[in-house]
Structures are given as C-alpha cells and as structure tokens.
C-alpha cells in the first residue's frame, strides 16, 4: 500500500489548535494573581505558546508541500492500539476527579505502556509508580498546582 499523505489532516489540525492556543493564552491572563502563589498563568501560557509554535510549524510545512505521511494505513494491530489508548484516556478523564490523581494515574500509565507493547513487568510497574509520583511531587509539591484529590487523594 502506498504512503498516505496527511496534508489535509495537518492543515485542519493546525487550524483547530491555533485558536485554542490563543484562547488559553488570553483567558489565563485574566486569572487573579494571589500574593502567596505568584502568577498562576505562566504554566498554561507556556504550554499554549509551545503548542502554538508546533501548530504553526505543522501548518507551514503542510502548505510548503512537506506534510507528514504514514507508511501505510493503520493495520489491525495499530488501529486496536489507538482505540485502546483512546478508551483508557477517556476512562482516565472520567475517573481522575472522582478517585484521585495518583490512584488513577498509576493504572492508566500501566495500561498505556501495556497497550503500546511493553511486556517486562518490572518496567511496567516502575513506570506506573514513578511517573505519577514524579508528576505529583513536581506539580502539587514544588509548583503548588492542585491535582485532583478524589477518594484516595
């Protein structure tokens, strides 16, 4: 099967992401600045700027004729992986607020790595434990960004 050019997909994706980035940048600038926490807008603004840069680059490359391409259409295994990751992510979004960040992120990371093909149990377990704890320590402890507490914190 010949390679699949993603020019239309790249252009549409970039044109959808650009206004979202601009909106996030604008809205985060309207947040109140608390005296003991500093400016809470720098994280979403930084993410929005990075994503805006990536979207503009994607749009530029697509319009110049250097769009991304797939080697072939998604086969059964790859399509199943994409669907499993989408289902895991949907479940994660639904349950993270109810159950809590660490209690939800650990099984999500485990399932994510398992779906992507990791079969070494030690690596799966380390990945599932280290990533949520590192994210928790970074955001909740160091940056004072509250994470969902839920039933299990």
């Amino acid at each position: 099967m010949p390679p699949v050019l993603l020019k239309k997909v790249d252009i549409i994706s970039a044109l959808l992401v650009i206004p979202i980035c601009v909106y996030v940048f604008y809205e985060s600038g309207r947040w109140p600045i608390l005296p003991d926490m500093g400016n809470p807008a720098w994280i979403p603004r930084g993410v929005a700027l990075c994503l805006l840069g990536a979207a503009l680059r994607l749009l530029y490359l697509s319009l110049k004729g250097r769009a991304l391409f797939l080697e072939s259409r998604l086969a059964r295994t790859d399509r199943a992986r994409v669907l499993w990751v989408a289902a895991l992510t949907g479940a994660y979004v639904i349950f993270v607020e109810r159950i809590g960040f660490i209690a939800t992120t650990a099984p999500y990371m485990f399932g994510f790595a398992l779906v992507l093909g990791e079969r070494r149990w030690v690596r799966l377990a380390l990945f599932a434990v280290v990533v949520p704890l590192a994210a928790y320590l970074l955001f909740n402890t160091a940056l004072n960004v509250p994470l969902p507490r839920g039933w299990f914190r």
Side-chain angles (χ1 to χ4, degrees), residues 97-150:
E97 194 68 36
R98 292 176 180 92
I99 297 175
F101 178 77
I102 292 177
T104 311
T105 306
Y108 173 72
M109 288 289 144
F110 185 87
F112 190 88
L114 192 65
V115 167
L116 292 182
E118 181 60 55
R119 296 294 180 250
R120 290 171 273 189
W121 291 98
V122 173
R123 276 192 172 180
L124 283 167
L126 280 173
F127 181 69
V129 171
V130 170
V131 170
L133 287 177
Y136 179 81
L137 290 173
L138 175 68
F139 287 102
N140 199 55
T141 306
L143 298 174
N144 291 323
V145 175
L147 296 172
R149 291 184 180 262

Side-chain angles (χ1 to χ4, degrees), residues 1-6 69-75 78-79:
M1 181 173 280
V4 180
L5 189 64
L6 297 175
F69 68 92
L70 291 175
E71 296 294 327
S72 63
R73 292 201 178 271
L74 291 177
D78 292 332
R79 187 178 306 134

Side-chain angles (χ1 to χ4, degrees), residues 25-41:
F25 193 87
Y26 171 75
E27 279 297 320
S28 62
R30 297 175 53 194
W31 292 352
I33 298 175
L34 303 174
D36 60 340
M37 288 185 61
N39 190 348

